[in-house]
Amino acid sequence: MHMKTIRFLTATLILSATTLHAKMVEKTITHKIGDQTYESTLVYDDSIKTPRPGIFMIPNWMGPSEGSLEKARKVAGKDYVVIMADVYGTHVRPSNSKEASAAAGKLRGDRQLMRKQSAAALDAFIAQTDASVLDKGKIAAIGFCFGGGASLELGRTGADLDAIVTFHGDLISPTLEGEAKNTKAKVLVLHGADDPYVPQDHVEQFVSTMQDTAVDWQLIQYSGAVHSFTNPAANSSGAKYHEQTVQRSFTAMHALFQEIW
């Protein structure tokens, strides 16, 4: 066999072995509040051997699901360690929109409970993730729909986060006016301009309140996009997947992370 051919085959085998070794790790992180168990999923590429920033991801109102896990994989890539957070508890796993509405509605109606359950999941993420994988000094929160609102609510507690990014998330809450100023994180809101569920009067209230704070915040509105624009399963007039907006919004998120880290 020709020497160049041998070298080529050797290099190919080494590359193949490296590729086979690299994999996306998915690990369950469990914590409790009282007697209730919560199970979040940690996602990262184990081919990277240096600590990476952490992304605390609160899913949409369906809670932990395969769709949200796929988002976690996409966000993680080779650059981040992501946790798909369980803020409902293992006893709540909605199977349809009616059940999801009830689960999300319970926390929307009790913002202190929402904060408590989000903060507990964040603490578990930081405490239970190996320091060789996670750079515990670099943590951001992101959220989708219900999860976006929950991420902003967590920020209003003064949580030690570098950034908060929301995708088609809730913007207002009973705590907004008085406690938005407590947010330490840089905030990026990614919003569908035609969203009927988070309409422009909510946007205006959010903007008005944030202008009275010292928080570093941004809001980007995308034309032609409605609610749930990152959800491939969304296909109604008010909640619909929008590929161009997905690409633009994820680019904006990554640009912020590159800026702060």
Side-chain angles (χ1 to χ4, degrees), residues 176-201:
L176 175 62
E177 296 286 347
E179 300 187 8
K181 65 181 182 295
N182 297 334
T183 304
K184 297 177 182 177
K186 297 180 185 295
V187 173
L188 172 61
V189 171
L190 304 166
H191 182 69
D194 299 327
D195 188 335
Y197 301 115
V198 185
Q200 286 301 305
D201 62 320

mmCIF file of all heavy atoms in Angstrom, residues 176-201:
data_model
loop_
_atom_site.group_PDB
_atom_site.id
_atom_site.type_symbol
_atom_site.label_atom_id
_atom_site.label_comp_id
_atom_site.label_asym_id
_atom_site.label_seq_id
_atom_site.Cartn_x
_atom_site.Cartn_y
_atom_site.Cartn_z
ATOM 1 N N LEU A 176 -43.490 43.523 38.551
ATOM 2 C CA LEU A 176 -42.686 44.250 37.572
ATOM 3 C C LEU A 176 -42.357 45.666 38.035
ATOM 4 O O LEU A 176 -41.193 46.070 38.073
ATOM 5 C CB LEU A 176 -43.415 44.290 36.232
ATOM 6 C CG LEU A 176 -42.761 45.126 35.118
ATOM 7 C CD1 LEU A 176 -41.400 44.566 34.760
ATOM 8 C CD2 LEU A 176 -43.656 45.158 33.890
ATOM 9 N N GLU A 177 -43.372 46.422 38.372
ATOM 10 C CA GLU A 177 -43.176 47.835 38.681
ATOM 11 C C GLU A 177 -42.201 48.037 39.834
ATOM 12 O O GLU A 177 -41.300 48.858 39.771
ATOM 13 C CB GLU A 177 -44.521 48.490 39.024
ATOM 14 C CG GLU A 177 -45.516 48.510 37.876
ATOM 15 C CD GLU A 177 -45.161 49.532 36.818
ATOM 16 O OE1 GLU A 177 -44.296 50.390 37.087
ATOM 17 O OE2 GLU A 177 -45.724 49.465 35.719
ATOM 18 N N GLY A 178 -42.383 47.255 40.915
ATOM 19 C CA GLY A 178 -41.595 47.496 42.105
ATOM 20 C C GLY A 178 -40.239 46.835 42.127
ATOM 21 O O GLY A 178 -39.332 47.312 42.820
ATOM 22 N N GLU A 179 -40.059 45.736 41.379
ATOM 23 C CA GLU A 179 -38.868 44.924 41.579
ATOM 24 C C GLU A 179 -38.006 44.722 40.329
ATOM 25 O O GLU A 179 -36.960 44.077 40.413
ATOM 26 C CB GLU A 179 -39.262 43.567 42.169
ATOM 27 C CG GLU A 179 -39.968 43.726 43.506
ATOM 28 C CD GLU A 179 -40.233 42.410 44.204
ATOM 29 O OE1 GLU A 179 -39.741 41.376 43.738
ATOM 30 O OE2 GLU A 179 -40.937 42.428 45.215
ATOM 31 N N ALA A 180 -38.393 45.277 39.206
ATOM 32 C CA ALA A 180 -37.560 45.168 38.006
ATOM 33 C C ALA A 180 -36.175 45.742 38.254
ATOM 34 O O ALA A 180 -35.175 45.255 37.710
ATOM 35 C CB ALA A 180 -38.226 45.887 36.836
ATOM 36 N N LYS A 181 -36.088 46.765 39.089
ATOM 37 C CA LYS A 181 -34.807 47.421 39.377
ATOM 38 C C LYS A 181 -33.820 46.507 40.077
ATOM 39 O O LYS A 181 -32.608 46.782 40.096
ATOM 40 C CB LYS A 181 -35.036 48.655 40.239
ATOM 41 C CG LYS A 181 -35.584 48.376 41.630
ATOM 42 C CD LYS A 181 -35.808 49.652 42.400
ATOM 43 C CE LYS A 181 -36.307 49.367 43.815
ATOM 44 N NZ LYS A 181 -37.643 48.728 43.811
ATOM 45 N N ASN A 182 -34.292 45.413 40.656
ATOM 46 C CA ASN A 182 -33.406 44.479 41.362
ATOM 47 C C ASN A 182 -32.607 43.590 40.412
ATOM 48 O O ASN A 182 -31.688 42.890 40.843
ATOM 49 C CB ASN A 182 -34.217 43.580 42.299
ATOM 50 C CG ASN A 182 -34.908 44.365 43.392
ATOM 51 O OD1 ASN A 182 -34.456 45.439 43.770
ATOM 52 N ND2 ASN A 182 -36.015 43.842 43.901
ATOM 53 N N THR A 183 -32.969 43.586 39.135
ATOM 54 C CA THR A 183 -32.324 42.695 38.164
ATOM 55 C C THR A 183 -30.851 43.063 37.997
ATOM 56 O O THR A 183 -30.513 44.211 37.689
ATOM 57 C CB THR A 183 -33.028 42.791 36.800
ATOM 58 O OG1 THR A 183 -34.425 42.498 36.967
ATOM 59 C CG2 THR A 183 -32.427 41.809 35.803
ATOM 60 N N LYS A 184 -29.982 42.067 38.212
ATOM 61 C CA LYS A 184 -28.540 42.268 38.049
ATOM 62 C C LYS A 184 -28.073 41.884 36.644
ATOM 63 O O LYS A 184 -27.053 42.367 36.168
ATOM 64 C CB LYS A 184 -27.778 41.428 39.069
ATOM 65 C CG LYS A 184 -28.042 41.807 40.521
ATOM 66 C CD LYS A 184 -27.300 40.866 41.455
ATOM 67 C CE LYS A 184 -27.580 41.202 42.911
ATOM 68 N NZ LYS A 184 -26.909 40.239 43.825
ATOM 69 N N ALA A 185 -28.802 40.993 36.005
ATOM 70 C CA ALA A 185 -28.410 40.462 34.703
ATOM 71 C C ALA A 185 -28.644 41.472 33.589
ATOM 72 O O ALA A 185 -29.521 42.340 33.694
ATOM 73 C CB ALA A 185 -29.209 39.196 34.410
ATOM 74 N N LYS A 186 -27.882 41.342 32.511
ATOM 75 C CA LYS A 186 -28.220 42.026 31.269
ATOM 76 C C LYS A 186 -29.415 41.292 30.666
ATOM 77 O O LYS A 186 -29.441 40.056 30.657
ATOM 78 C CB LYS A 186 -27.034 42.004 30.306
ATOM 79 C CG LYS A 186 -25.798 42.755 30.812
ATOM 80 C CD LYS A 186 -24.671 42.681 29.803
ATOM 81 C CE LYS A 186 -23.392 43.313 30.350
ATOM 82 N NZ LYS A 186 -23.525 44.757 30.576
ATOM 83 N N VAL A 187 -30.394 42.019 30.184
ATOM 84 C CA VAL A 187 -31.649 41.420 29.728
ATOM 85 C C VAL A 187 -31.808 41.616 28.220
ATOM 86 O O VAL A 187 -31.638 42.728 27.700
ATOM 87 C CB VAL A 187 -32.849 42.042 30.468
ATOM 88 C CG1 VAL A 187 -34.174 41.547 29.876
ATOM 89 C CG2 VAL A 187 -32.777 41.725 31.963
ATOM 90 N N LEU A 188 -32.139 40.521 27.539
ATOM 91 C CA LEU A 188 -32.431 40.560 26.106
ATOM 92 C C LEU A 188 -33.784 39.905 25.885
ATOM 93 O O LEU A 188 -33.955 38.712 26.128
ATOM 94 C CB LEU A 188 -31.354 39.818 25.316
ATOM 95 C CG LEU A 188 -31.610 39.613 23.811
ATOM 96 C CD1 LEU A 188 -31.747 40.958 23.085
ATOM 97 C CD2 LEU A 188 -30.500 38.777 23.178
ATOM 98 N N VAL A 189 -34.747 40.688 25.416
ATOM 99 C CA VAL A 189 -36.091 40.197 25.132
ATOM 100 C C VAL A 189 -36.250 40.064 23.626
ATOM 101 O O VAL A 189 -36.066 41.033 22.878
ATOM 102 C CB VAL A 189 -37.157 41.151 25.707
ATOM 103 C CG1 VAL A 189 -38.552 40.761 25.227
ATOM 104 C CG2 VAL A 189 -37.102 41.167 27.226
ATOM 105 N N LEU A 190 -36.596 38.870 23.166
ATOM 106 C CA LEU A 190 -36.768 38.559 21.748
ATOM 107 C C LEU A 190 -38.249 38.265 21.524
ATOM 108 O O LEU A 190 -38.768 37.257 22.016
ATOM 109 C CB LEU A 190 -35.877 37.371 21.375
ATOM 110 C CG LEU A 190 -34.390 37.611 21.700
ATOM 111 C CD1 LEU A 190 -33.595 36.323 21.642
ATOM 112 C CD2 LEU A 190 -33.798 38.660 20.771
ATOM 113 N N HIS A 191 -38.908 39.136 20.787
ATOM 114 C CA HIS A 191 -40.375 39.169 20.792
ATOM 115 C C HIS A 191 -40.948 39.232 19.386
ATOM 116 O O HIS A 191 -40.438 39.951 18.515
ATOM 117 C CB HIS A 191 -40.814 40.414 21.587
ATOM 118 C CG HIS A 191 -42.292 40.553 21.721
ATOM 119 N ND1 HIS A 191 -43.051 39.699 22.492
ATOM 120 C CD2 HIS A 191 -43.164 41.456 21.192
ATOM 121 C CE1 HIS A 191 -44.328 40.072 22.433
ATOM 122 N NE2 HIS A 191 -44.415 41.117 21.645
ATOM 123 N N GLY A 192 -42.001 38.467 19.158
ATOM 124 C CA GLY A 192 -42.732 38.547 17.898
ATOM 125 C C GLY A 192 -43.613 39.782 17.895
ATOM 126 O O GLY A 192 -44.483 39.926 18.760
ATOM 127 N N ALA A 193 -43.431 40.671 16.931
ATOM 128 C CA ALA A 193 -44.151 41.947 16.915
ATOM 129 C C ALA A 193 -45.654 41.778 16.774
ATOM 130 O O ALA A 193 -46.425 42.667 17.143
ATOM 131 C CB ALA A 193 -43.620 42.831 15.785
ATOM 132 N N ASP A 194 -46.082 40.627 16.247
ATOM 133 C CA ASP A 194 -47.514 40.389 16.045
ATOM 134 C C ASP A 194 -48.088 39.392 17.051
ATOM 135 O O ASP A 194 -49.153 38.814 16.824
ATOM 136 C CB ASP A 194 -47.748 39.878 14.618
ATOM 137 C CG ASP A 194 -47.313 40.881 13.560
ATOM 138 O OD1 ASP A 194 -47.434 42.097 13.818
ATOM 139 O OD2 ASP A 194 -46.844 40.457 12.485
ATOM 140 N N ASP A 195 -47.390 39.195 18.163
ATOM 141 C CA ASP A 195 -47.815 38.236 19.190
ATOM 142 C C ASP A 195 -49.124 38.691 19.838
ATOM 143 O O ASP A 195 -49.169 39.732 20.493
ATOM 144 C CB ASP A 195 -46.716 38.139 20.256
ATOM 145 C CG ASP A 195 -46.954 37.028 21.266
ATOM 146 O OD1 ASP A 195 -48.120 36.631 21.469
ATOM 147 O OD2 ASP A 195 -45.969 36.568 21.867
ATOM 148 N N PRO A 196 -50.221 37.931 19.679
ATOM 149 C CA PRO A 196 -51.494 38.341 20.270
ATOM 150 C C PRO A 196 -51.600 38.010 21.762
ATOM 151 O O PRO A 196 -52.463 38.548 22.464
ATOM 152 C CB PRO A 196 -52.531 37.545 19.469
ATOM 153 C CG PRO A 196 -51.808 36.281 19.113
ATOM 154 C CD PRO A 196 -50.368 36.694 18.880
ATOM 155 N N TYR A 197 -50.728 37.126 22.248
ATOM 156 C CA TYR A 197 -50.796 36.700 23.652
ATOM 157 C C TYR A 197 -49.929 37.570 24.555
ATOM 158 O O TYR A 197 -50.174 37.659 25.763
ATOM 159 C CB TYR A 197 -50.377 35.235 23.771
ATOM 160 C CG TYR A 197 -51.253 34.309 22.959
ATOM 161 C CD1 TYR A 197 -50.736 33.591 21.881
ATOM 162 C CD2 TYR A 197 -52.607 34.194 23.240
ATOM 163 C CE1 TYR A 197 -51.543 32.766 21.120
ATOM 164 C CE2 TYR A 197 -53.433 33.367 22.480
ATOM 165 C CZ TYR A 197 -52.891 32.658 21.419
ATOM 166 O OH TYR A 197 -53.697 31.852 20.650
ATOM 167 N N VAL A 198 -48.915 38.193 23.968
ATOM 168 C CA VAL A 198 -48.104 39.189 24.683
ATOM 169 C C VAL A 198 -48.157 40.444 23.806
ATOM 170 O O VAL A 198 -47.230 40.738 23.053
ATOM 171 C CB VAL A 198 -46.654 38.704 24.889
ATOM 172 C CG1 VAL A 198 -45.873 39.698 25.741
ATOM 173 C CG2 VAL A 198 -46.634 37.329 25.550
ATOM 174 N N PRO A 199 -49.263 41.173 23.880
ATOM 175 C CA PRO A 199 -49.518 42.264 22.933
ATOM 176 C C PRO A 199 -48.677 43.509 23.218
ATOM 177 O O PRO A 199 -47.938 43.582 24.206
ATOM 178 C CB PRO A 199 -51.006 42.542 23.138
ATOM 179 C CG PRO A 199 -51.267 42.145 24.562
ATOM 180 C CD PRO A 199 -50.375 40.968 24.823
ATOM 181 N N GLN A 200 -48.830 44.496 22.346
ATOM 182 C CA GLN A 200 -47.987 45.684 22.432
ATOM 183 C C GLN A 200 -48.199 46.494 23.712
ATOM 184 O O GLN A 200 -47.266 47.161 24.169
ATOM 185 C CB GLN A 200 -48.206 46.568 21.203
ATOM 186 C CG GLN A 200 -47.576 46.016 19.933
ATOM 187 C CD GLN A 200 -46.076 45.826 20.044
ATOM 188 O OE1 GLN A 200 -45.345 46.752 20.375
ATOM 189 N NE2 GLN A 200 -45.593 44.621 19.769
ATOM 190 N N ASP A 201 -49.360 46.435 24.322
ATOM 191 C CA ASP A 201 -49.511 47.167 25.586
ATOM 192 C C ASP A 201 -48.661 46.539 26.688
ATOM 193 O O ASP A 201 -48.154 47.236 27.571
ATOM 194 C CB ASP A 201 -50.983 47.276 25.994
ATOM 195 C CG ASP A 201 -51.652 45.939 26.242
ATOM 196 O OD1 ASP A 201 -51.380 44.992 25.472
ATOM 197 O OD2 ASP A 201 -52.436 45.835 27.191
#
